[in-house]
Short mmCIF file of all heavy atoms in Angstrom, two decimals:
data_model
loop_
_atom_site.label_atom_id
_atom_site.label_comp_id
_atom_site.label_asym_id
_atom_site.label_seq_id
_atom_site.Cartn_x
_atom_site.Cartn_y
_atom_site.Cartn_z
N CYS M 1 0.86 -1.18 0.00
CA CYS M 1 0.00 0.00 0.00
C CYS M 1 0.90 1.24 0.00
O CYS M 1 1.73 1.40 0.89
CB CYS M 1 -0.88 -0.05 1.24
SG CYS M 1 -2.19 1.18 1.23
N ILE M 2 0.75 2.12 -1.01
CA ILE M 2 1.63 3.30 -1.11
C ILE M 2 0.84 4.61 -1.00
O ILE M 2 1.43 5.68 -1.00
CB ILE M 2 2.47 3.28 -2.42
CG1 ILE M 2 1.56 3.17 -3.66
CG2 ILE M 2 3.51 2.20 -2.39
CD1 ILE M 2 2.21 3.62 -4.94
N GLY M 3 -0.46 4.54 -0.92
CA GLY M 3 -1.29 5.74 -0.80
C GLY M 3 -2.70 5.30 -0.47
O GLY M 3 -2.99 4.11 -0.46
N PRO M 4 -3.60 6.26 -0.19
CA PRO M 4 -4.98 5.85 0.13
C PRO M 4 -5.57 5.00 -1.01
O PRO M 4 -5.71 5.47 -2.13
CB PRO M 4 -5.71 7.18 0.27
CG PRO M 4 -4.64 8.20 0.54
CD PRO M 4 -3.42 7.70 -0.17
N ASN M 5 -5.83 3.73 -0.69
CA ASN M 5 -6.37 2.76 -1.65
C ASN M 5 -5.56 2.70 -2.95
O ASN M 5 -6.11 2.52 -4.03
CB ASN M 5 -7.85 3.03 -1.95
CG ASN M 5 -8.72 2.71 -0.75
OD1 ASN M 5 -8.38 1.83 0.04
ND2 ASN M 5 -9.81 3.41 -0.60
N LYS M 6 -4.24 2.85 -2.84
CA LYS M 6 -3.36 2.76 -4.01
C LYS M 6 -2.29 1.70 -3.74
O LYS M 6 -1.52 1.83 -2.79
CB LYS M 6 -2.72 4.13 -4.28
CG LYS M 6 -1.98 4.20 -5.61
CD LYS M 6 -1.68 5.65 -5.97
CE LYS M 6 -0.69 5.83 -7.08
NZ LYS M 6 -0.85 5.02 -8.27
N CYS M 7 -2.30 0.66 -4.58
CA CYS M 7 -1.35 -0.44 -4.40
C CYS M 7 -0.22 -0.37 -5.42
O CYS M 7 -0.43 0.04 -6.55
CB CYS M 7 -2.06 -1.78 -4.60
SG CYS M 7 -3.32 -2.13 -3.35
N LYS M 8 0.97 -0.77 -4.99
CA LYS M 8 2.11 -0.94 -5.89
C LYS M 8 2.38 -2.44 -5.93
O LYS M 8 2.72 -3.05 -4.91
CB LYS M 8 3.33 -0.18 -5.37
CG LYS M 8 4.55 -0.28 -6.29
CD LYS M 8 5.71 0.55 -5.72
CE LYS M 8 6.87 0.60 -6.67
NZ LYS M 8 7.84 -0.46 -6.46
N CYS M 9 2.13 -3.06 -7.09
CA CYS M 9 2.22 -4.52 -7.20
C CYS M 9 3.65 -5.01 -7.27
O CYS M 9 4.52 -4.35 -7.84
CB CYS M 9 1.46 -5.00 -8.44
SG CYS M 9 -0.28 -4.55 -8.42
N PHE M 10 3.87 -6.20 -6.70
CA PHE M 10 5.17 -6.87 -6.83
C PHE M 10 5.31 -7.29 -8.29
O PHE M 10 4.30 -7.47 -8.98
CB PHE M 10 5.25 -8.10 -5.93
CG PHE M 10 5.14 -7.80 -4.46
CD1 PHE M 10 4.40 -8.65 -3.62
CD2 PHE M 10 5.76 -6.69 -3.89
CE1 PHE M 10 4.30 -8.38 -2.26
CE2 PHE M 10 5.66 -6.42 -2.53
CZ PHE M 10 4.93 -7.26 -1.72
N PRO M 11 6.56 -7.47 -8.80
CA PRO M 11 6.71 -7.89 -10.20
C PRO M 11 5.93 -9.17 -10.48
O PRO M 11 5.91 -10.08 -9.65
CB PRO M 11 8.22 -8.14 -10.33
CG PRO M 11 8.84 -7.35 -9.22
CD PRO M 11 7.84 -7.34 -8.11
N GLY M 12 5.25 -9.20 -11.61
CA GLY M 12 4.50 -10.39 -12.01
C GLY M 12 3.04 -10.37 -11.61
O GLY M 12 2.30 -11.30 -11.90
N PHE M 13 2.60 -9.27 -10.93
CA PHE M 13 1.20 -9.18 -10.51
C PHE M 13 0.60 -7.86 -10.96
O PHE M 13 1.31 -6.87 -11.17
CB PHE M 13 1.07 -9.36 -9.00
CG PHE M 13 1.45 -10.74 -8.55
CD1 PHE M 13 2.73 -10.99 -8.09
CD2 PHE M 13 0.56 -11.79 -8.65
CE1 PHE M 13 3.11 -12.28 -7.71
CE2 PHE M 13 0.93 -13.07 -8.28
CZ PHE M 13 2.20 -13.32 -7.81
N THR M 14 -0.73 -7.85 -11.09
CA THR M 14 -1.43 -6.66 -11.58
C THR M 14 -2.81 -6.56 -10.93
O THR M 14 -3.19 -7.43 -10.15
CB THR M 14 -1.52 -6.70 -13.13
OG1 THR M 14 -2.08 -5.48 -13.59
CG2 THR M 14 -2.40 -7.86 -13.63
N GLY M 15 -3.55 -5.52 -11.28
CA GLY M 15 -4.90 -5.32 -10.74
C GLY M 15 -4.89 -4.24 -9.68
O GLY M 15 -3.86 -3.89 -9.13
N LYS M 16 -6.09 -3.71 -9.38
CA LYS M 16 -6.24 -2.63 -8.41
C LYS M 16 -5.71 -3.03 -7.03
O LYS M 16 -5.12 -2.23 -6.32
CB LYS M 16 -7.72 -2.22 -8.32
CG LYS M 16 -7.94 -0.89 -7.66
CD LYS M 16 -9.34 -0.36 -7.92
CE LYS M 16 -9.74 0.78 -7.03
NZ LYS M 16 -8.84 1.91 -6.98
N ILE M 17 -5.93 -4.31 -6.66
CA ILE M 17 -5.45 -4.77 -5.35
C ILE M 17 -4.35 -5.83 -5.52
O ILE M 17 -4.07 -6.61 -4.62
CB ILE M 17 -6.61 -5.28 -4.46
CG1 ILE M 17 -7.40 -6.41 -5.13
CG2 ILE M 17 -7.52 -4.15 -4.04
CD1 ILE M 17 -8.35 -7.15 -4.20
N CYS M 18 -3.71 -5.85 -6.70
CA CYS M 18 -2.58 -6.74 -7.00
C CYS M 18 -2.93 -8.21 -6.74
O CYS M 18 -2.12 -8.96 -6.20
CB CYS M 18 -1.34 -6.37 -6.18
SG CYS M 18 -0.84 -4.65 -6.40
N ASN M 19 -4.14 -8.61 -7.10
CA ASN M 19 -4.57 -9.99 -6.84
C ASN M 19 -4.56 -10.85 -8.10
O ASN M 19 -4.93 -12.01 -8.05
CB ASN M 19 -5.97 -10.01 -6.20
CG ASN M 19 -7.03 -9.41 -7.12
OD1 ASN M 19 -6.71 -8.66 -8.05
ND2 ASN M 19 -8.28 -9.74 -6.86
N GLN M 20 -4.15 -10.27 -9.23
CA GLN M 20 -4.16 -11.03 -10.49
C GLN M 20 -2.73 -11.28 -10.97
O GLN M 20 -1.88 -10.39 -10.89
CB GLN M 20 -4.91 -10.25 -11.58
CG GLN M 20 -6.37 -10.02 -11.25
CD GLN M 20 -6.96 -8.86 -12.06
OE1 GLN M 20 -6.26 -7.95 -12.48
NE2 GLN M 20 -8.26 -8.91 -12.26
N ASP M 21 -2.53 -12.47 -11.49
CA ASP M 21 -1.24 -12.83 -12.07
C ASP M 21 -1.10 -12.10 -13.40
O ASP M 21 -2.02 -12.09 -14.21
CB ASP M 21 -1.18 -14.35 -12.27
CG ASP M 21 0.03 -14.78 -13.08
OD1 ASP M 21 1.14 -14.42 -12.68
OD2 ASP M 21 -0.14 -15.46 -14.11
N LEU M 22 0.05 -11.47 -13.62
CA LEU M 22 0.31 -10.79 -14.89
C LEU M 22 0.81 -11.82 -15.90
O LEU M 22 1.75 -12.55 -15.61
CB LEU M 22 1.39 -9.71 -14.68
CG LEU M 22 1.87 -8.96 -15.92
CD1 LEU M 22 0.81 -8.04 -16.47
CD2 LEU M 22 3.12 -8.16 -15.60
N ASN M 23 0.14 -11.92 -17.05
CA ASN M 23 0.57 -12.86 -18.08
C ASN M 23 1.67 -12.19 -18.91
O ASN M 23 1.39 -11.49 -19.88
CB ASN M 23 -0.62 -13.28 -18.95
CG ASN M 23 -0.21 -14.28 -20.03
OD1 ASN M 23 0.95 -14.69 -20.12
ND2 ASN M 23 -1.15 -14.67 -20.85
N GLU M 24 2.92 -12.41 -18.48
CA GLU M 24 4.05 -11.76 -19.16
C GLU M 24 4.17 -12.21 -20.62
O GLU M 24 4.71 -11.49 -21.44
CB GLU M 24 5.38 -12.09 -18.45
CG GLU M 24 5.52 -11.49 -17.07
CD GLU M 24 4.94 -12.35 -15.96
OE1 GLU M 24 4.26 -13.37 -16.25
OE2 GLU M 24 5.13 -11.99 -14.80
N CYS M 25 3.66 -13.40 -20.92
CA CYS M 25 3.75 -13.94 -22.29
C CYS M 25 2.94 -13.09 -23.28
O CYS M 25 3.21 -13.10 -24.47
CB CYS M 25 3.28 -15.39 -22.33
SG CYS M 25 4.30 -16.47 -21.29
N GLY M 26 1.96 -12.37 -22.78
CA GLY M 26 1.12 -11.54 -23.65
C GLY M 26 1.64 -10.11 -23.80
O GLY M 26 1.05 -9.31 -24.52
N LEU M 27 2.73 -9.78 -23.10
CA LEU M 27 3.27 -8.42 -23.17
C LEU M 27 3.96 -8.16 -24.50
O LEU M 27 4.44 -9.08 -25.15
CB LEU M 27 4.29 -8.19 -22.04
CG LEU M 27 3.77 -8.22 -20.61
CD1 LEU M 27 4.92 -8.08 -19.63
CD2 LEU M 27 2.76 -7.10 -20.35
N LYS M 28 3.99 -6.87 -24.88
CA LYS M 28 4.74 -6.46 -26.07
C LYS M 28 5.87 -5.55 -25.62
O LYS M 28 5.60 -4.63 -24.87
CB LYS M 28 3.83 -5.72 -27.06
CG LYS M 28 2.67 -6.55 -27.59
CD LYS M 28 2.81 -6.76 -29.09
CE LYS M 28 1.63 -7.44 -29.73
NZ LYS M 28 1.29 -8.75 -29.33
N PRO M 29 7.13 -5.68 -25.97
CA PRO M 29 7.62 -6.82 -26.75
C PRO M 29 7.59 -8.12 -25.95
O PRO M 29 7.68 -8.09 -24.73
CB PRO M 29 9.08 -6.40 -27.05
CG PRO M 29 9.45 -5.49 -25.93
CD PRO M 29 8.19 -4.78 -25.54
N ARG M 30 7.46 -9.24 -26.65
CA ARG M 30 7.38 -10.54 -25.98
C ARG M 30 8.68 -10.83 -25.24
O ARG M 30 9.76 -10.58 -25.75
CB ARG M 30 7.10 -11.64 -27.01
CG ARG M 30 5.68 -11.54 -27.58
CD ARG M 30 5.35 -12.71 -28.48
NE ARG M 30 5.34 -13.95 -27.72
CZ ARG M 30 5.86 -15.10 -28.16
NH1 ARG M 30 6.43 -15.14 -29.33
NH2 ARG M 30 5.80 -16.18 -27.43
N PRO M 31 8.58 -11.37 -24.01
CA PRO M 31 9.80 -11.60 -23.24
C PRO M 31 10.64 -12.79 -23.73
O PRO M 31 11.81 -12.89 -23.41
CB PRO M 31 9.28 -11.86 -21.82
CG PRO M 31 7.90 -12.37 -22.01
CD PRO M 31 7.37 -11.73 -23.25
N CYS M 32 10.03 -13.67 -24.51
CA CYS M 32 10.76 -14.85 -25.00
C CYS M 32 10.81 -14.82 -26.53
O CYS M 32 9.87 -14.38 -27.18
CB CYS M 32 10.06 -16.14 -24.57
SG CYS M 32 9.84 -16.29 -22.79
N GLU M 33 11.90 -15.33 -27.08
CA GLU M 33 12.06 -15.32 -28.53
C GLU M 33 11.13 -16.33 -29.20
O GLU M 33 10.49 -16.02 -30.19
CB GLU M 33 13.52 -15.61 -28.90
CG GLU M 33 13.79 -15.36 -30.37
CD GLU M 33 15.24 -15.62 -30.76
OE1 GLU M 33 16.08 -15.89 -29.87
OE2 GLU M 33 15.52 -15.57 -31.96
N HIS M 34 11.05 -17.56 -28.65
CA HIS M 34 10.23 -18.60 -29.27
C HIS M 34 8.94 -18.84 -28.49
O HIS M 34 7.91 -18.31 -28.83
CB HIS M 34 11.02 -19.91 -29.38
CG HIS M 34 12.01 -19.91 -30.51
ND1 HIS M 34 12.71 -21.02 -30.87
CD2 HIS M 34 12.41 -18.91 -31.35
CE1 HIS M 34 13.51 -20.72 -31.90
NE2 HIS M 34 13.35 -19.44 -32.20
N ARG M 35 9.05 -19.63 -27.42
CA ARG M 35 7.85 -19.99 -26.68
C ARG M 35 7.93 -19.50 -25.25
O ARG M 35 9.01 -19.41 -24.68
CB ARG M 35 7.66 -21.51 -26.68
CG ARG M 35 7.22 -22.02 -28.04
CD ARG M 35 6.95 -23.48 -27.97
NE ARG M 35 6.48 -24.00 -29.24
CZ ARG M 35 6.52 -25.26 -29.58
NH1 ARG M 35 7.05 -26.15 -28.76
NH2 ARG M 35 6.06 -25.67 -30.74
N CYS M 36 6.75 -19.21 -24.70
CA CYS M 36 6.68 -18.63 -23.36
C CYS M 36 5.63 -19.39 -22.55
O CYS M 36 4.57 -19.71 -23.07
CB CYS M 36 6.29 -17.17 -23.51
SG CYS M 36 6.15 -16.26 -21.97
N MET M 37 5.95 -19.70 -21.30
CA MET M 37 4.98 -20.34 -20.41
C MET M 37 4.76 -19.41 -19.23
O MET M 37 5.69 -19.09 -18.50
CB MET M 37 5.49 -21.70 -19.92
CG MET M 37 4.50 -22.39 -18.98
SD MET M 37 5.19 -23.88 -18.23
CE MET M 37 4.49 -25.12 -19.29
N ASN M 38 3.50 -18.96 -19.04
CA ASN M 38 3.19 -18.09 -17.91
C ASN M 38 3.14 -18.94 -16.64
O ASN M 38 2.63 -20.04 -16.64
CB ASN M 38 1.83 -17.42 -18.14
CG ASN M 38 1.51 -16.41 -17.06
OD1 ASN M 38 2.35 -15.60 -16.70
ND2 ASN M 38 0.32 -16.48 -16.52
N THR M 39 3.73 -18.42 -15.56
CA THR M 39 3.68 -19.11 -14.26
C THR M 39 3.16 -18.10 -13.24
O THR M 39 3.06 -16.92 -13.53
CB THR M 39 5.08 -19.61 -13.83
OG1 THR M 39 5.94 -18.47 -13.70
CG2 THR M 39 5.68 -20.60 -14.81
N HIS M 40 2.82 -18.55 -12.03
CA HIS M 40 2.27 -17.68 -11.00
C HIS M 40 3.32 -16.64 -10.60
O HIS M 40 4.33 -16.99 -10.00
CB HIS M 40 1.85 -18.53 -9.79
CG HIS M 40 1.12 -17.75 -8.74
ND1 HIS M 40 -0.12 -17.20 -8.96
CD2 HIS M 40 1.46 -17.43 -7.47
CE1 HIS M 40 -0.50 -16.58 -7.87
NE2 HIS M 40 0.44 -16.70 -6.94
N GLY M 41 3.10 -15.39 -11.00
CA GLY M 41 4.02 -14.31 -10.66
C GLY M 41 5.25 -14.21 -11.52
O GLY M 41 6.10 -13.35 -11.30
N SER M 42 5.37 -15.07 -12.52
CA SER M 42 6.56 -15.05 -13.37
C SER M 42 6.27 -15.69 -14.72
O SER M 42 5.12 -15.83 -15.12
CB SER M 42 7.71 -15.76 -12.65
OG SER M 42 8.92 -15.55 -13.35
N TYR M 43 7.33 -16.13 -15.42
CA TYR M 43 7.19 -16.81 -16.71
C TYR M 43 8.48 -17.57 -16.99
O TYR M 43 9.50 -17.34 -16.35
CB TYR M 43 6.92 -15.80 -17.85
CG TYR M 43 8.08 -14.87 -18.13
CD1 TYR M 43 8.99 -15.15 -19.14
CD2 TYR M 43 8.28 -13.72 -17.37
CE1 TYR M 43 10.07 -14.31 -19.39
CE2 TYR M 43 9.36 -12.88 -17.61
CZ TYR M 43 10.24 -13.18 -18.61
OH TYR M 43 11.32 -12.36 -18.85
N LYS M 44 8.42 -18.50 -17.96
CA LYS M 44 9.60 -19.26 -18.38
C LYS M 44 9.67 -19.23 -19.90
O LYS M 44 8.65 -19.31 -20.56
CB LYS M 44 9.50 -20.72 -17.94
CG LYS M 44 9.36 -20.93 -16.45
CD LYS M 44 10.66 -21.25 -15.81
CE LYS M 44 10.42 -21.56 -14.35
NZ LYS M 44 11.57 -21.66 -13.55
N CYS M 45 10.88 -19.13 -20.42
CA CYS M 45 11.09 -19.19 -21.87
C CYS M 45 11.57 -20.59 -22.25
O CYS M 45 12.29 -21.22 -21.47
CB CYS M 45 12.16 -18.19 -22.30
SG CYS M 45 11.74 -16.47 -21.98
N TYR M 46 11.19 -21.04 -23.42
CA TYR M 46 11.79 -22.26 -23.96
C TYR M 46 11.79 -22.17 -25.48
O TYR M 46 11.12 -21.33 -26.07
CB TYR M 46 11.13 -23.53 -23.44
CG TYR M 46 9.64 -23.67 -23.63
CD1 TYR M 46 9.12 -24.47 -24.63
CD2 TYR M 46 8.74 -23.02 -22.79
CE1 TYR M 46 7.76 -24.61 -24.80
CE2 TYR M 46 7.38 -23.16 -22.94
CZ TYR M 46 6.89 -23.96 -23.95
OH TYR M 46 5.55 -24.10 -24.12
N CYS M 47 12.61 -23.01 -26.09
CA CYS M 47 12.85 -22.90 -27.53
C CYS M 47 12.22 -24.04 -28.31
O CYS M 47 11.93 -25.10 -27.76
CB CYS M 47 14.35 -22.89 -27.80
SG CYS M 47 15.19 -21.53 -26.97
#
């Protein structure tokens, strides 16, 4: 909590109250060159 009803999410999370996993695989630019697997709070690359 960084302000009245204002959250700063840890890396890999999103939403007003930081309760949703951020799907890094859907971000632009894509974090992986070939294939990407979204994980809870993170992601993994594979070729």
